[in-house]
PDB file of all heavy atoms in Angstrom:
ATOM      1  N   THR A 441      15.102  14.170   7.354  1.00 98.00           N
ATOM      2  CA  THR A 441      16.501  14.034   7.649  1.00 98.00           C
ATOM      3  C   THR A 441      16.857  12.596   7.983  1.00 98.00           C
ATOM      4  O   THR A 441      17.872  12.070   7.544  1.00 98.00           O
ATOM      5  CB  THR A 441      16.838  14.932   8.719  1.00 98.00           C
ATOM      6  OG1 THR A 441      16.627  16.255   8.328  1.00 98.00           O
ATOM      7  CG2 THR A 441      18.397  14.895   9.109  1.00 98.00           C
ATOM      8  N   ALA A 442      16.046  11.976   8.905  1.00 98.00           N
ATOM      9  CA  ALA A 442      16.376  10.565   9.292  1.00 98.00           C
ATOM     10  C   ALA A 442      16.308   9.576   8.125  1.00 98.00           C
ATOM     11  O   ALA A 442      17.072   8.759   8.127  1.00 98.00           O
ATOM     12  CB  ALA A 442      15.453  10.248  10.447  1.00 98.00           C
ATOM     13  N   TYR A 443      15.358   9.836   7.285  1.00 97.00           N
ATOM     14  CA  TYR A 443      15.196   9.015   6.117  1.00 97.00           C
ATOM     15  C   TYR A 443      16.365   9.066   5.138  1.00 97.00           C
ATOM     16  O   TYR A 443      16.988   8.153   4.713  1.00 97.00           O
ATOM     17  CB  TYR A 443      13.861   9.334   5.408  1.00 97.00           C
ATOM     18  CG  TYR A 443      13.629   8.595   4.139  1.00 97.00           C
ATOM     19  CD1 TYR A 443      12.993   7.345   4.240  1.00 97.00           C
ATOM     20  CD2 TYR A 443      14.041   9.064   2.801  1.00 97.00           C
ATOM     21  CE1 TYR A 443      12.716   6.529   3.045  1.00 97.00           C
ATOM     22  CE2 TYR A 443      13.825   8.217   1.723  1.00 97.00           C
ATOM     23  CZ  TYR A 443      13.101   7.050   1.786  1.00 97.00           C
ATOM     24  OH  TYR A 443      12.852   6.254   0.683  1.00 97.00           O
ATOM     25  N   ALA A 444      16.797  10.320   4.903  1.00 97.00           N
ATOM     26  CA  ALA A 444      18.000  10.570   4.005  1.00 97.00           C
ATOM     27  C   ALA A 444      19.319   9.962   4.717  1.00 97.00           C
ATOM     28  O   ALA A 444      20.128   9.482   4.024  1.00 97.00           O
ATOM     29  CB  ALA A 444      18.180  12.015   3.716  1.00 97.00           C
ATOM     30  N   ALA A 445      19.380  10.133   6.016  1.00 97.00           N
ATOM     31  CA  ALA A 445      20.498   9.496   6.761  1.00 97.00           C
ATOM     32  C   ALA A 445      20.499   8.080   6.559  1.00 97.00           C
ATOM     33  O   ALA A 445      21.629   7.420   6.391  1.00 97.00           O
ATOM     34  CB  ALA A 445      20.441  10.009   8.139  1.00 97.00           C
ATOM     35  N   GLY A 446      19.395   7.423   6.580  1.00 96.00           N
ATOM     36  CA  GLY A 446      19.270   5.991   6.469  1.00 96.00           C
ATOM     37  C   GLY A 446      19.706   5.564   5.125  1.00 96.00           C
ATOM     38  O   GLY A 446      20.433   4.659   4.828  1.00 96.00           O
ATOM     39  N   ILE A 447      19.317   6.330   3.975  1.00 96.00           N
ATOM     40  CA  ILE A 447      19.779   5.956   2.710  1.00 96.00           C
ATOM     41  C   ILE A 447      21.128   6.108   2.585  1.00 96.00           C
ATOM     42  O   ILE A 447      21.808   5.176   2.003  1.00 96.00           O
ATOM     43  CB  ILE A 447      18.903   6.846   1.718  1.00 96.00           C
ATOM     44  CG1 ILE A 447      17.385   6.607   1.769  1.00 96.00           C
ATOM     45  CG2 ILE A 447      19.516   6.729   0.320  1.00 96.00           C
ATOM     46  CD1 ILE A 447      16.932   5.274   1.152  1.00 96.00           C
ATOM     47  N   VAL A 448      21.807   7.177   3.027  1.00 96.00           N
ATOM     48  CA  VAL A 448      23.206   7.368   2.955  1.00 96.00           C
ATOM     49  C   VAL A 448      24.014   6.289   3.596  1.00 96.00           C
ATOM     50  O   VAL A 448      24.958   5.818   3.105  1.00 96.00           O
ATOM     51  CB  VAL A 448      23.609   8.799   3.336  1.00 96.00           C
ATOM     52  CG1 VAL A 448      25.150   9.039   3.465  1.00 96.00           C
ATOM     53  CG2 VAL A 448      22.964   9.927   2.508  1.00 96.00           C
ATOM     54  N   ALA A 449      23.458   6.009   4.783  1.00 96.00           N
ATOM     55  CA  ALA A 449      24.215   4.914   5.606  1.00 96.00           C
ATOM     56  C   ALA A 449      24.194   3.643   4.884  1.00 96.00           C
ATOM     57  O   ALA A 449      25.184   2.869   5.108  1.00 96.00           O
ATOM     58  CB  ALA A 449      23.657   4.883   7.009  1.00 96.00           C
ATOM     59  N   MET A 450      23.314   3.265   4.107  1.00 94.00           N
ATOM     60  CA  MET A 450      23.289   1.968   3.422  1.00 94.00           C
ATOM     61  C   MET A 450      24.111   1.875   2.308  1.00 94.00           C
ATOM     62  O   MET A 450      24.539   0.780   1.852  1.00 94.00           O
ATOM     63  CB  MET A 450      21.735   1.741   2.946  1.00 94.00           C
ATOM     64  CG  MET A 450      20.788   1.336   4.175  1.00 94.00           C
ATOM     65  SD  MET A 450      19.216   0.812   3.525  1.00 94.00           S
ATOM     66  CE  MET A 450      18.595   2.072   2.721  1.00 94.00           C
ATOM     67  N   VAL A 451      24.511   3.040   1.623  1.00 94.00           N
ATOM     68  CA  VAL A 451      25.357   2.967   0.334  1.00 94.00           C
ATOM     69  C   VAL A 451      26.531   2.173   0.542  1.00 94.00           C
ATOM     70  O   VAL A 451      26.831   1.354  -0.342  1.00 94.00           O
ATOM     71  CB  VAL A 451      25.605   4.436  -0.132  1.00 94.00           C
ATOM     72  CG1 VAL A 451      26.493   4.361  -1.292  1.00 94.00           C
ATOM     73  CG2 VAL A 451      24.280   5.212  -0.506  1.00 94.00           C
ATOM     74  N   PRO A 452      27.360   2.322   1.586  1.00 94.00           N
ATOM     75  CA  PRO A 452      28.693   1.487   1.694  1.00 94.00           C
ATOM     76  C   PRO A 452      28.303  -0.006   1.741  1.00 94.00           C
ATOM     77  O   PRO A 452      29.261  -0.778   1.404  1.00 94.00           O
ATOM     78  CB  PRO A 452      29.431   2.031   2.881  1.00 94.00           C
ATOM     79  CG  PRO A 452      28.713   3.399   3.043  1.00 94.00           C
ATOM     80  CD  PRO A 452      27.341   3.276   2.797  1.00 94.00           C
ATOM     81  N   PHE A 453      27.178  -0.309   2.156  1.00 90.00           N
ATOM     82  CA  PHE A 453      26.814  -1.822   2.513  1.00 90.00           C
ATOM     83  C   PHE A 453      26.081  -2.403   1.276  1.00 90.00           C
ATOM     84  O   PHE A 453      25.818  -3.734   1.400  1.00 90.00           O
ATOM     85  CB  PHE A 453      26.095  -1.935   3.671  1.00 90.00           C
ATOM     86  CG  PHE A 453      26.790  -1.278   4.905  1.00 90.00           C
ATOM     87  CD1 PHE A 453      26.558   0.047   5.292  1.00 90.00           C
ATOM     88  CD2 PHE A 453      27.613  -2.126   5.693  1.00 90.00           C
ATOM     89  CE1 PHE A 453      27.228   0.557   6.450  1.00 90.00           C
ATOM     90  CE2 PHE A 453      28.328  -1.600   6.793  1.00 90.00           C
ATOM     91  CZ  PHE A 453      28.157  -0.364   7.094  1.00 90.00           C
ATOM     92  N   VAL A 454      25.721  -1.668   0.315  1.00 87.00           N
ATOM     93  CA  VAL A 454      24.840  -2.124  -0.852  1.00 87.00           C
ATOM     94  C   VAL A 454      25.678  -3.073  -1.735  1.00 87.00           C
ATOM     95  O   VAL A 454      26.808  -2.928  -1.904  1.00 87.00           O
ATOM     96  CB  VAL A 454      24.393  -0.878  -1.623  1.00 87.00           C
ATOM     97  CG1 VAL A 454      23.938  -1.399  -2.963  1.00 87.00           C
ATOM     98  CG2 VAL A 454      23.277  -0.204  -0.840  1.00 87.00           C
ATOM     99  N   SER A 455      24.942  -4.189  -2.093  1.00 80.00           N
ATOM    100  CA  SER A 455      25.616  -5.124  -3.112  1.00 80.00           C
ATOM    101  C   SER A 455      24.560  -5.531  -4.082  1.00 80.00           C
ATOM    102  O   SER A 455      23.607  -6.277  -3.868  1.00 80.00           O
ATOM    103  CB  SER A 455      26.081  -6.368  -2.423  1.00 80.00           C
ATOM    104  OG  SER A 455      26.602  -7.238  -3.321  1.00 80.00           O
ATOM    105  N   THR A 456      24.605  -4.934  -5.298  1.00 76.00           N
ATOM    106  CA  THR A 456      23.683  -5.166  -6.355  1.00 76.00           C
ATOM    107  C   THR A 456      24.343  -5.369  -7.675  1.00 76.00           C
ATOM    108  O   THR A 456      25.617  -5.234  -7.745  1.00 76.00           O
ATOM    109  CB  THR A 456      22.711  -4.047  -6.631  1.00 76.00           C
ATOM    110  OG1 THR A 456      23.584  -2.883  -7.098  1.00 76.00           O
ATOM    111  CG2 THR A 456      22.072  -3.459  -5.286  1.00 76.00           C
ATOM    112  N   VAL A 457      23.615  -5.770  -8.707  1.00 73.00           N
ATOM    113  CA  VAL A 457      24.296  -5.963 -10.093  1.00 73.00           C
ATOM    114  C   VAL A 457      24.875  -4.671 -10.621  1.00 73.00           C
ATOM    115  O   VAL A 457      25.635  -4.719 -11.526  1.00 73.00           O
ATOM    116  CB  VAL A 457      23.310  -6.614 -10.993  1.00 73.00           C
ATOM    117  CG1 VAL A 457      22.926  -8.055 -10.509  1.00 73.00           C
ATOM    118  CG2 VAL A 457      22.080  -5.831 -11.113  1.00 73.00           C
ATOM    119  N   TRP A 458      24.394  -3.572 -10.183  1.00 77.00           N
ATOM    120  CA  TRP A 458      24.746  -2.285 -10.682  1.00 77.00           C
ATOM    121  C   TRP A 458      25.749  -1.664  -9.848  1.00 77.00           C
ATOM    122  O   TRP A 458      26.713  -0.799 -10.390  1.00 77.00           O
ATOM    123  CB  TRP A 458      23.646  -1.321 -10.662  1.00 77.00           C
ATOM    124  CG  TRP A 458      22.372  -1.894 -11.272  1.00 77.00           C
ATOM    125  CD1 TRP A 458      22.138  -2.152 -12.630  1.00 77.00           C
ATOM    126  CD2 TRP A 458      21.061  -2.269 -10.740  1.00 77.00           C
ATOM    127  NE1 TRP A 458      20.937  -2.657 -12.941  1.00 77.00           N
ATOM    128  CE2 TRP A 458      20.313  -2.771 -11.828  1.00 77.00           C
ATOM    129  CE3 TRP A 458      20.648  -2.303  -9.441  1.00 77.00           C
ATOM    130  CZ2 TRP A 458      19.031  -3.213 -11.420  1.00 77.00           C
ATOM    131  CZ3 TRP A 458      19.365  -2.711  -9.227  1.00 77.00           C
ATOM    132  CH2 TRP A 458      18.493  -3.243 -10.135  1.00 77.00           C
ATOM    133  N   TYR A 459      25.791  -1.873  -8.478  1.00 84.00           N
ATOM    134  CA  TYR A 459      26.831  -1.134  -7.639  1.00 84.00           C
ATOM    135  C   TYR A 459      27.151  -2.013  -6.436  1.00 84.00           C
ATOM    136  O   TYR A 459      26.133  -2.661  -5.878  1.00 84.00           O
ATOM    137  CB  TYR A 459      26.250   0.173  -7.230  1.00 84.00           C
ATOM    138  CG  TYR A 459      27.080   0.850  -6.187  1.00 84.00           C
ATOM    139  CD1 TYR A 459      28.315   1.590  -6.581  1.00 84.00           C
ATOM    140  CD2 TYR A 459      26.725   0.881  -4.849  1.00 84.00           C
ATOM    141  CE1 TYR A 459      29.091   2.161  -5.504  1.00 84.00           C
ATOM    142  CE2 TYR A 459      27.487   1.422  -3.828  1.00 84.00           C
ATOM    143  CZ  TYR A 459      28.697   2.153  -4.256  1.00 84.00           C
ATOM    144  OH  TYR A 459      29.423   2.697  -3.298  1.00 84.00           O
ATOM    145  N   VAL A 460      28.308  -2.061  -6.135  1.00 86.00           N
ATOM    146  CA  VAL A 460      28.727  -2.674  -4.754  1.00 86.00           C
ATOM    147  C   VAL A 460      29.443  -1.778  -3.990  1.00 86.00           C
ATOM    148  O   VAL A 460      30.579  -1.287  -4.467  1.00 86.00           O
ATOM    149  CB  VAL A 460      29.625  -3.960  -5.131  1.00 86.00           C
ATOM    150  CG1 VAL A 460      30.221  -4.642  -3.895  1.00 86.00           C
ATOM    151  CG2 VAL A 460      28.965  -5.032  -5.988  1.00 86.00           C
ATOM    152  N   GLY A 461      28.964  -1.460  -2.877  1.00 90.00           N
ATOM    153  CA  GLY A 461      29.695  -0.561  -1.874  1.00 90.00           C
ATOM    154  C   GLY A 461      30.930  -1.031  -1.325  1.00 90.00           C
ATOM    155  O   GLY A 461      31.276  -2.227  -1.383  1.00 90.00           O
ATOM    156  N   PRO A 462      31.865  -0.164  -0.890  1.00 93.00           N
ATOM    157  CA  PRO A 462      33.202  -0.557  -0.403  1.00 93.00           C
ATOM    158  C   PRO A 462      33.154  -1.519   0.654  1.00 93.00           C
ATOM    159  O   PRO A 462      33.915  -2.496   0.841  1.00 93.00           O
ATOM    160  CB  PRO A 462      33.771   0.731   0.028  1.00 93.00           C
ATOM    161  CG  PRO A 462      32.658   1.761   0.220  1.00 93.00           C
ATOM    162  CD  PRO A 462      31.656   1.293  -0.706  1.00 93.00           C
ATOM    163  N   VAL A 463      32.203  -1.392   1.714  1.00 90.00           N
ATOM    164  CA  VAL A 463      32.147  -2.372   2.820  1.00 90.00           C
ATOM    165  C   VAL A 463      31.715  -3.687   2.186  1.00 90.00           C
ATOM    166  O   VAL A 463      32.212  -4.750   2.764  1.00 90.00           O
ATOM    167  CB  VAL A 463      31.202  -1.809   3.920  1.00 90.00           C
ATOM    168  CG1 VAL A 463      31.069  -2.751   5.066  1.00 90.00           C
ATOM    169  CG2 VAL A 463      31.724  -0.509   4.470  1.00 90.00           C
ATOM    170  N   ALA A 464      30.680  -3.665   1.401  1.00 85.00           N
ATOM    171  CA  ALA A 464      30.129  -4.941   0.884  1.00 85.00           C
ATOM    172  C   ALA A 464      31.177  -5.660   0.032  1.00 85.00           C
ATOM    173  O   ALA A 464      31.341  -6.893   0.195  1.00 85.00           O
ATOM    174  CB  ALA A 464      28.905  -4.662  -0.043  1.00 85.00           C
ATOM    175  N   ALA A 465      32.074  -4.923  -0.612  1.00 86.00           N
ATOM    176  CA  ALA A 465      33.171  -5.523  -1.401  1.00 86.00           C
ATOM    177  C   ALA A 465      34.189  -6.146  -0.522  1.00 86.00           C
ATOM    178  O   ALA A 465      34.662  -7.226  -0.607  1.00 86.00           O
ATOM    179  CB  ALA A 465      33.899  -4.452  -2.268  1.00 86.00           C
ATOM    180  N   MET A 466      34.465  -5.416   0.702  1.00 86.00           N
ATOM    181  CA  MET A 466      35.412  -6.025   1.746  1.00 86.00           C
ATOM    182  C   MET A 466      34.801  -7.328   2.338  1.00 86.00           C
ATOM    183  O   MET A 466      35.484  -8.135   2.836  1.00 86.00           O
ATOM    184  CB  MET A 466      35.680  -4.996   2.768  1.00 86.00           C
ATOM    185  CG  MET A 466      36.431  -3.838   2.454  1.00 86.00           C
ATOM    186  SD  MET A 466      36.555  -2.592   3.682  1.00 86.00           S
ATOM    187  CE  MET A 466      37.329  -3.436   5.106  1.00 86.00           C
ATOM    188  N   LEU A 467      33.476  -7.367   2.427  1.00 78.00           N
ATOM    189  CA  LEU A 467      32.889  -8.496   3.031  1.00 78.00           C
ATOM    190  C   LEU A 467      32.509  -9.716   1.978  1.00 78.00           C
ATOM    191  O   LEU A 467      31.842 -10.587   2.346  1.00 78.00           O
ATOM    192  CB  LEU A 467      31.472  -8.088   3.678  1.00 78.00           C
ATOM    193  CG  LEU A 467      31.622  -7.145   4.846  1.00 78.00           C
ATOM    194  CD1 LEU A 467      30.247  -6.731   5.289  1.00 78.00           C
ATOM    195  CD2 LEU A 467      32.348  -7.799   6.105  1.00 78.00           C
TER     196      LEU A 467
END
Side-chain angles (χ1 to χ4, degrees):
T441 300
Y443 181 83
I447 294 289
V448 171
M450 287 192 293
V451 172
F453 302 91
V454 163
S455 180
T456 69
V457 294
W458 308 291
Y459 171 78
V460 177
V463 177
M466 291 174 56
L467 296 174

